[in-house]
Amino acid sequence: MRKARKEYEEQTLDLVPIMNLVTILIPFLLMSAQFVTLAVIDSTLPAIQQESNEPPKEEEEEPLGLSILITDEGFTLTGKGLDAELPKDDEVNGPNVVCLEAGCPTAESYDYDTLRKKLVQVKDRWNDEENAILVPGSKVSYETVVLTMDAAREDPEDVVDESTQKKRELFPFVVIAAGVN
Amino acid sequence: MARRSRRAPENEELNITSMMDMMTIILVFLLKSYSTDDITVAGNDDLQLPVSSSLKPPKLAVNVIVSRAQILVDGEPVLALEQVADEASGEMVPAIPADAKTGPKIDDLFEKLQAKAEQAKTLGQRAQSDEFDFKGQILLQCDRRLPFSVVRDVMFTAGQAQFGEFRFVVIKGSG
């Protein structure tokens, strides 16, 4: 009876080799672990895009050629016939979308929501347009440019396809140009 | 008393089971975040990528990193940026040294990128498959606080060196 109890006690699983293996695996996996998921935004140079363009099609309407100017005062939208068609909320010559904070000191102080609403209006009027030209000023931070491209890409409040959660596309093809200082 | 002290070392074995439980959970978690992406980002204080709502997965291309301190092409440092005080706010803002560029073209970066373009073209010809053809794609990892003038000059230089398709690397976020 006493002997049997002793045998039972000795039959514990020896986990030390597995521990060794796992301890080696953990630093290895930690090394190749990725905690942020990356994505890319495509853009082309304006000049190259013009070269590769197909010959001008017979369209009833002239292309809009939408440009979004980013300055330290806010966003300004320009395009052929845009001024006449778009409802005006601000003074005539001022930027179409003014900053939330005077002088736009940070990337968050730009009013992306209003910009998106304006772009939805433009998209409603010119439904076939997919291109937009971005003209940021020299001092505008790169983050602002990226956030503006986000605002121009799609409308998160307008879900076209419920099953895939696909949002309505606004101007997904953004070309970056340099102009104002 | 003597008997008790002899038995003690036998019973005081380390209980590894709970440790094993923990390790197994960590292992599963790490396996889940195991990445097989084409590109990786070595984040540091000088390189904070912007957050965007874009969903396009990144693909392998010539990798240009523009941090607040320097410009790197495929991991090799090309040019150190200088810090200039902003006229209006007095903050230190990174800028490309004036003697390192002609007009908006950054000379060192141009040479490096042109060499990369030639290399990619030869590779494309030898591979004879569409997959490796030179399409002028370039991955740009830029710090989110950089002024656009720096990014613009880098883009212009890349354009001069036949890289016309920019892919701005961003961190996927809710936007």
Side-chain angles (χ1 to χ4, degrees):
Chain A
M1 193 63 197
R2 206 178 157 191
K3 202 180 170 189
R5 215 182 103 208
K6 203 182 167 192
E7 256 176 42
Y8 174 74
E9 266 179 53
E10 278 172 5
Q11 274 178 355
T12 44
L13 203 62
D14 187 11
L15 292 173
V16 179
I18 300 177
M19 273 288 295
N20 290 344
L21 176 89
V22 171
T23 323
I24 290 166
L25 266 176
I26 283 178
F28 169 74
L29 285 175
L30 252 181
M31 227 164 48
S32 56
Q34 201 181 28
F35 299 103
V36 285
T37 41
L38 297 173
V40 289
I41 304 174
D42 283 348
S43 177
T44 49
L45 274 182
I48 287 177
Q49 206 205 25
Q50 276 165 15
E51 277 170 28
S52 64
N53 255 354
E54 63 263 36
K57 279 180 265 174
E58 294 286 320
E59 283 176 51
E60 312 102 55
E61 202 171 41
E62 240 185 313
L64 171 66
L66 175 73
S67 304
I68 308 168
L69 274 68
I70 314 171
T71 61
D72 55 3
E73 287 170 45
F75 302 109
T76 313
L77 302 183
T78 59
K80 278 202 184 74
L82 189 79
D83 277 345
E85 298 274 349
L86 209 64
K88 273 207 171 59
D89 304 351
D90 312 304
E91 62 265 32
V92 180
N93 291 319
N96 287 29
V97 184
V98 288
C99 290
L100 297 171
E101 214 175 309
C104 289
T106 59
E108 288 80 29
S109 57
Y110 284 87
D111 194 354
Y112 303 104
D113 286 336
T114 314
L115 173 72
R116 190 178 291 124
K117 279 176 199 145
K118 292 245 180 196
L119 289 173
V120 169
Q121 286 176 355
V122 177
K123 186 75 179 178
D124 287 343
R125 170 65 183 78
W126 287 273
N127 208 15
D128 296 334
E129 283 288 331
E130 289 192 313
N131 298 307
I133 303 164
L134 217 61
V135 191
S138 291
K139 283 177 186 165
V140 172
S141 76
Y142 173 60
E143 190 178 17
T144 311
V145 179
V146 170
L147 289 173
T148 311
M149 285 196 271
D150 279 358
R153 190 179 317 111
E154 58 183 21
D155 184 10
E157 283 156 25
D158 195 348
V159 180
V160 183
D161 192 342
E162 285 290 340
S163 58
T164 55
Q165 285 294 304
K166 193 174 162 50
K167 316 283 190 335
R168 184 194 181 189
E169 284 197 331
L170 296 175
F171 302 94
F173 302 113
V174 175
V175 173
I176 298 183
V180 288
N181 279 304
Chain B
M1 193 65 199
R3 201 179 157 195
R4 202 176 164 189
S5 67
R6 215 179 55 217
R7 262 182 73 184
E10 247 183 280
N11 288 351
E12 275 175 20
E13 237 178 79
L14 197 65
N15 188 9
I16 289 179
T17 318
S18 51
M19 184 96 156
M20 269 296 294
D21 289 351
M22 187 191 78
M23 291 284 200
T24 318
I25 291 166
I26 293 178
L27 201 70
V28 170
F29 169 73
L30 285 177
L31 268 175
K32 222 189 87 190
S33 60
Y34 184 79
S35 79
T36 47
D37 263 358
D38 286 340
I39 55 165
T40 48
V41 173
N44 60 43
D45 203 33
D46 280 331
L47 181 67
Q48 294 179 8
L49 296 179
V51 178
S52 161
S53 61
S54 176
L55 298 172
K56 273 189 188 154
K59 276 187 197 145
L60 201 63
V62 175
N63 197 351
V64 174
I65 300 174
V66 189
S67 77
R68 279 164 71 87
Q70 56 182 346
I71 299 176
L72 299 104
V73 177
D74 281 346
E76 293 171 42
V78 171
L79 183 72
L81 298 183
E82 62 178 7
Q83 306 293 319
V84 182
D86 187 60
E87 294 153 21
S89 62
E91 275 176 52
M92 294 308 267
V93 181
I96 292 156
D99 55 353
K101 57 178 187 176
T102 40
K105 191 173 91 181
I106 309 159
D107 298 327
D108 291 353
L109 182 65
F110 175 71
E111 278 166 33
K112 193 92 191 168
L113 284 179
Q114 213 170 31
K116 289 276 175 198
E118 292 303 322
Q119 210 181 326
K121 273 184 189 163
T122 346
L123 186 76
Q125 278 169 359
R126 288 199 191 151
Q128 295 197 335
S129 97
D130 285 345
E131 202 190 333
F132 293 103
D133 259 358
F134 180 74
K135 297 182 204 78
Q137 291 165 343
I138 191 163
L139 281 171
L140 279 175
Q141 298 180 23
C142 307
D143 185 272
R144 64 188 173 89
R145 296 154 298 178
L146 279 176
F148 181 69
S149 54
V150 173
V151 184
R152 183 190 58 201
D153 288 353
V154 171
M155 283 172 68
F156 178 83
T157 311
Q160 294 292 305
Q162 305 162 54
F163 289 96
E165 268 188 52
F166 301 108
R167 292 190 168 156
F168 299 100
V169 182
V170 290
I171 292 172
K172 211 186 274 180
S174 52

